[in-house]
Amino acid sequence: MTTVLLVRHGRTTSNAAGTLAGWTPGVRLDDTGHGQAQRLAERLAPVPLATVVTSPLERCRQTAAYLRAARDPRPTLHVDKGVGECRYGDWTGKAIKDLAKDPMWRVVQDHPSAAVFPGDDGEAMAAMSARAVAAVRRWNEQLGPEATYAVVSHGDVIKAITADALGLHLDSFQRLHVDPCSVTVITYTPRRPFLVRLNDVGGDVGGLLPPAKTTRRKRATATGDAVVGGGAG
């Protein structure tokens, strides 16, 4: 089974200012974000990573740099537009409190599969979801069933990938929450994906390490079978 660690970037100057960054150039981690990324890298350091895939945006590349610097040798880095931020069009750079007054806000909240952001470069949320899920599936196939790798991306993108793994319609993805520098872990098996962790901001990573021997749970989930009764962990 392939294990994907979905990492949201650390807090940015835009997050702190309450604006929607989107693809705005030059949005970087603030001091809090740098601290979050450093702590995350130290926490995940024991977990072997086949590679680190990142959104092209600077805040994700900065976070990815911390993940790689905590390892020797450093895993390879791949920049993939498929896991880049949703293109929010005319909403980009505006204050969240003002966007919440826009009539389309309710569409984004209640019916995101129908949301298409205004402007020449505005993207449909459904299109964002489709290309992000396709990117992860492509990396799964390329890296193989034994790989563990990280994808450094954005809140809405990670929520969309997670909703797909859970079999949720995109209209339900707003029920999920993804904090800055959180880790969401999904394992992909021949039968089905398993959501192993969601919005983890401080959990022990022992369960993400390769097992010394194949456990009962590993034998089951490797084929995509769920452990009846829930298993022993």
Side-chain angles (χ1 to χ4, degrees):
M1 59 186 179
T2 310
T3 301
V4 184
L5 279 59
L6 300 170
V7 175
R8 186 182 171 197
H9 60 79
R11 197 182 82 164
T12 68
T13 52
S14 178
N15 296 144
T19 59
L20 184 63
W23 283 73
T24 303
V27 175
R28 300 172 58 86
L29 302 183
D30 64 8
D31 289 343
T32 295
H34 280 288
Q36 291 171 334
Q38 179 66 53
R39 291 189 296 273
L40 173 70
E42 292 170 354
R43 185 162 68 93
L44 293 181
V47 181
L49 296 178
T51 194
V52 176
V53 178
T54 182
S55 157
L57 293 168
E58 189 169 6
R59 54 196 183 269
C60 290
R61 296 176 70 126
Q62 288 180 298
T63 304
Y66 280 101
L67 292 180
R68 298 180 67 230
R71 291 170 167 76
D72 186 18
R74 296 185 180 186
T76 55
L77 178 70
H78 297 277
V79 178
D80 190 338
K81 290 183 179 179
V83 296
E85 179 65 287
C86 185
R87 293 189 179 272
Y88 295 113
D90 292 347
W91 278 28
T92 302
K94 293 185 178 179
I96 298 295
K97 63 181 179 62
D98 294 332
L99 292 174
K101 302 172 186 176
D102 190 307
M104 199 181 111
W105 181 266
R106 296 297 352 143
V107 180
V108 173
Q109 295 299 315
D110 301 333
H111 195 27
S113 66
V116 181
F117 291 98
D120 292 340
D121 63 342
E123 185 176 25
M125 295 200 88
M128 174 273 291
S129 175
R131 50 115 164 137
V133 169
V136 168
R137 299 281 183 165
R138 184 173 63 252
W139 282 107
N140 290 351
E141 183 176 355
Q142 180 173 329
L143 295 172
E146 301 302 319
T148 297
Y149 70 103
V151 173
V152 185
S153 188
H154 308 268
D156 281 347
V157 176
I158 292 172
K159 286 162 58 176
I161 294 168
T162 304
D164 172 77
L166 289 171
L168 295 177
H169 194 281
L170 187 62
D171 286 346
S172 296
F173 98 136
Q174 298 290 27
R175 301 182 184 194
L176 305 175
H177 185 77
V178 177
D179 284 313
C181 264
S182 64
V183 183
T184 294
V185 181
I186 301 171
T187 58
Y188 289 85
T189 76
R191 177 165 291 170
R192 61 171 67 88
F194 288 88
L195 177 62
V196 178
R197 299 189 184 200
L198 175 65
N199 198 38
D200 173 9
V201 293
D204 180 81
V205 299
L208 302 178
L209 302 180
K213 60 181 180 180
T214 303
T215 63
R216 186 174 304 158
R217 187 181 71 146
K218 292 289 186 181
R219 285 197 300 270
T221 57
T223 62
D225 292 341
V227 180
V228 177

